[in-house]
Amino acid sequence: MNYKILKERIKKNEGFRNRIYLDQLKFKTIGYGHLVRKSDKFVEGKKYSKNELNIVFEEDFKKAVNSFNKHFKKYSFKKNENEVLIEMIYQLGIEGVLKFKKFISALRKKNVYMAALEMMDSIWYKQTRKRVIILISRLLEVNE
């Protein structure tokens, strides 16, 4: 899998902000969609460099890949399916993705169309429709 292209796609889909902001669910966020936790040392109103926030992105991406490997690598999904899962984990966290039981089941049964419908039949789709449509398009690509 080419992580460089996947990282760029995630960055594009997340957008970038160099200060803390509230995401659509009113959670404090910074950089490329990093959920600010109490253990983080970010200061409200402070501007951070792209370099600093790229380091945070790399850590978050690594966590997403590790979660993917732990929970999904064993299924030998297609490359584009793996990428969609990693991006979902990046955005929703592994706990959020594991709630998509029907989606995961459809993927395991090689029914990507049903998986796509399950993605659309979610609160996530209502919250971030454009992003989910991009991921569904990626999921349905047949050239891999």
Side-chain angles (χ1 to χ4, degrees), residues 1 23 27 34 36-37 43 46 49 76 87-88 105 121 123 127-128 142-143:
M1 193 174 335
D23 69 8
F27 290 113
H34 173 77
V36 177
R37 293 184 163 77
V43 177
K46 182 179 176 184
S49 74
S76 300
E87 186 162 347
M88 286 176 71
S105 175
D121 186 26
I123 295 169
Q127 293 167 340
T128 57
V142 293
N143 59 352

Side-chain angles (χ1 to χ4, degrees), residues 90-106:
Y90 185 92
Q91 184 186 8
L92 303 169
I94 189 60
E95 300 83 8
V97 173
L98 291 175
K99 291 177 183 175
F100 282 74
K101 294 181 187 323
K102 292 179 184 176
F103 163 78
I104 295 165
S105 175

Side-chain angles (χ1 to χ4, degrees), residues 24-25 88 91-92 100 115-137:
Q24 291 178 321
L25 298 177
M88 286 176 71
Q91 184 186 8
L92 303 169
F100 282 74
L117 288 172
E118 292 300 335
M119 291 168 80
M120 292 172 66
D121 186 26
S122 68
I123 295 169
W124 174 52
Y125 177 74
K126 291 175 183 81
Q127 293 167 340
T128 57
R129 182 177 307 244
K130 183 180 171 188
R131 178 131 183 216
V132 176
I133 289 169
I134 290 168
L135 290 176
I136 288 170
S137 297

Side-chain angles (χ1 to χ4, degrees), residues 71-93:
H71 295 277
F72 298 109
K73 191 174 185 175
K74 61 189 170 200
Y75 298 121
S76 300
F77 292 133
K78 292 179 181 176
K79 178 184 170 207
N80 55 322
E81 295 166 355
N82 292 338
E83 290 178 357
V84 166
L85 280 162
I86 291 170
E87 186 162 347
M88 286 176 71
I89 294 167
Y90 185 92
Q91 184 186 8
L92 303 169

Side-chain angles (χ1 to χ4, degrees), residues 7 34 40 42 52-66 90:
K7 286 178 185 181
H34 173 77
D40 288 330
F42 295 112
E52 287 175 283
L53 296 172
N54 259 325
I55 291 168
V56 173
F57 171 80
E58 290 294 335
E59 290 170 4
D60 289 346
F61 182 81
K62 185 177 177 183
K63 285 179 190 172
V65 170
N66 288 341
Y90 185 92

Side-chain angles (χ1 to χ4, degrees), residues 103-115:
F103 163 78
I104 295 165
S105 175
L107 270 186
R108 289 182 63 194
K109 293 174 183 172
K110 308 292 184 209
N111 189 341
V112 291
Y113 299 104
M114 186 56 75

